[in-house]
Amino acid sequence: MEKVLVEIYIPVINQYYDVYLPLISKMYEIEELLAAAFSEISSGYFVASEDIVICEKNTGRIYDVNKSVMELDIRNGSKLMLI
């Protein structure tokens, strides 16, 4: 399975994480997994909810949750934000 290495910023805890994302995974799957993981490792400061979104960090463009990482042209070194 091919993957890309991205940087994910979480503003509520002011932390950056490097994460591998499978190219064929849909963004809604990735949102769920990341929200659960970051909620756990942040000791409750980041709370997973139905309202979370993943967007491009520099532009704020919200990614379509029904598209895959490949379809969204997310590449190695992309900077994302989970809010």
Side-chain angles (χ1 to χ4, degrees):
M1 178 184 310
E2 292 186 51
K3 299 176 185 177
V4 291
L5 179 62
V6 300
E7 178 183 271
I8 298 184
Y9 174 59
I10 305 174
V12 71
I13 59 174
N14 196 31
Q15 292 290 317
Y16 292 85
Y17 296 94
D18 291 331
V19 178
Y20 282 101
L21 303 178
L23 288 173
I24 60 172
S25 292
K26 300 286 185 185
M27 289 306 286
Y28 68 86
E29 298 169 321
I30 291 171
E31 277 183 1
E32 289 177 19
L33 292 172
L34 291 177
F38 293 139
S39 181
E40 188 173 318
I41 65 174
S42 71
S43 301
Y45 286 105
F46 176 82
V47 179
S49 73
E50 293 179 13
D51 298 332
I52 63 163
V53 294
I54 296 179
C55 60
E56 204 280 321
K57 184 176 180 286
N58 296 326
T59 66
R61 178 177 68 108
I62 297 173
Y63 291 116
D64 182 346
V65 294
N66 296 310
K67 292 188 177 181
S68 70
V69 172
M70 185 184 312
E71 291 172 316
L72 293 168
D73 200 32
I74 297 173
R75 301 170 183 230
N76 281 322
S78 290
K79 296 180 186 306
L80 313 180
M81 187 165 45
L82 183 66
I83 52 176

